[in-house]
Amino acid sequence: MPSVEYPKLDISNEPDAWYEADIEGSTSTMGTGYENDGFIYRGKMSTYFRTDTPELPSGTPKVYDFFNMGFSLYKPSEMLVGNATAFLEFQGPAFDADTITNLNNVVNTLLKPGIKKIDDGTDIKGSGWTIGLRITDPIKYAGQTNYGGVGLFTVGAHKESPNNYFEITRSEAKDTGNFVRFTIWCNFKADLYNGLGEQPGWYFGQIRSGKAKLYVDVNK
């Protein structure tokens, strides 16, 4: 993948969301305002069939909804047009939406400071944070929101890795009136493998070190 660009943008002005990372010796940086070119928060709901866990009262539907939050590049800027680009993705632990009565309490728990579990594919689906690198096909135009490529993630390892590390070092919550905006600061490193599937993936390489500032808006 010698032609892949690791974006380096000026993030010296403390934008609303950003990351810095050493990916196999190549420095990658990204910063942006809220839902502008670059970084964006997103939420994703996935439905799964329930087997024998978690146990719920008789009559509970045999499907359940997993919800997790993700942070990724959303709208590439003009400087990335024509390049095959590699950018970071973070996915938070998933939780069973059927059993949640207070979303705010869940988010408070997920986003409080501390060292977090990395999901490497050896445990329950969505049980920890996932760190990934998305390598895109060449970007066709600024603001493009759908692009092909390959994903490289910690969860593709299907084995424990002593190199994986994710820590929220600081967390702030601001009540905006309509929702609560959480901002988190993170330190991380990771072994990356090809794919999010059920089979062991191919080893790609390391994020040797990194730090990020991310945000999440939670409805009241």
Side-chain angles (χ1 to χ4, degrees):
M1 305 176 183
S3 61
V4 171
E5 298 286 336
Y6 294 88
K8 298 179 184 179
L9 303 182
D10 181 9
I11 61 173
S12 60
N13 294 323
E14 187 63 15
D16 297 315
W18 52 262
Y19 69 69
E20 300 176 344
D22 176 354
I23 304 168
E24 286 290 282
S26 296
T27 301
S28 179
T29 65
M30 186 69 70
T32 185
Y34 293 121
E35 303 198 17
N36 201 336
D37 288 348
F39 240 90
I40 190 171
Y41 157 78
R42 61 177 172 78
K44 181 176 69 174
M45 183 79 78
S46 301
T47 299
Y48 298 91
F49 286 98
R50 192 183 303 283
T51 53
D52 57 347
T53 59
E55 290 289 347
L56 287 179
S58 175
T60 300
K62 292 185 178 181
V63 296
Y64 63 104
D65 293 324
F66 253 5
F67 184 84
N68 76 327
M69 54 192 166
F71 311 85
S72 64
L73 187 70
Y74 184 59
K75 295 181 287 189
S77 64
E78 291 182 1
M79 69 168 288
L80 302 181
V81 173
N83 294 325
T85 303
F87 56 88
L88 293 183
E89 291 188 0
F90 307 89
Q91 295 180 17
F95 52 87
D96 186 346
D98 296 341
T99 64
I100 299 302
T101 58
N102 190 321
L103 181 60
N104 209 15
N105 287 344
V106 173
V107 176
N108 271 307
T109 300
L110 293 177
L111 302 182
K112 68 182 180 182
I115 297 174
K116 306 298 182 178
K117 181 183 184 301
I118 297 290
D119 190 344
D120 53 21
T122 60
D123 203 348
I124 299 172
K125 184 187 295 287
S127 61
W129 283 82
T130 300
I131 302 172
L133 186 68
R134 180 73 63 181
I135 298 179
T136 73
D137 295 333
I139 301 298
K140 296 179 181 178
Y141 56 90
Q144 181 179 343
T145 58
N146 60 325
Y147 30 77
V150 61
L152 308 160
F153 291 88
T154 52
V155 75
H158 292 271
K159 61 181 180 181
E160 293 183 5
S161 171
N163 293 319
N164 289 345
Y165 177 84
F166 189 86
E167 179 182 13
I168 296 177
T169 58
R170 177 181 164 198
S171 179
E172 294 181 356
K174 181 180 179 181
D175 192 330
T176 68
N178 295 324
F179 56 86
V180 178
R181 172 161 290 161
F182 289 83
T183 304
I184 59 174
W185 287 258
C186 316
N187 291 330
F188 58 91
K189 57 182 181 177
D191 277 337
L192 301 179
Y193 289 76
N194 184 6
L196 278 169
E198 298 299 325
Q199 299 300 318
W202 295 98
Y203 179 70
F204 171 77
Q206 287 187 349
I207 299 176
R208 297 178 179 175
S209 64
K211 57 183 179 177
K213 175 187 176 184
L214 311 171
Y215 75 92
V216 185
D217 291 341
V218 181
N219 295 333
K220 291 184 176 180

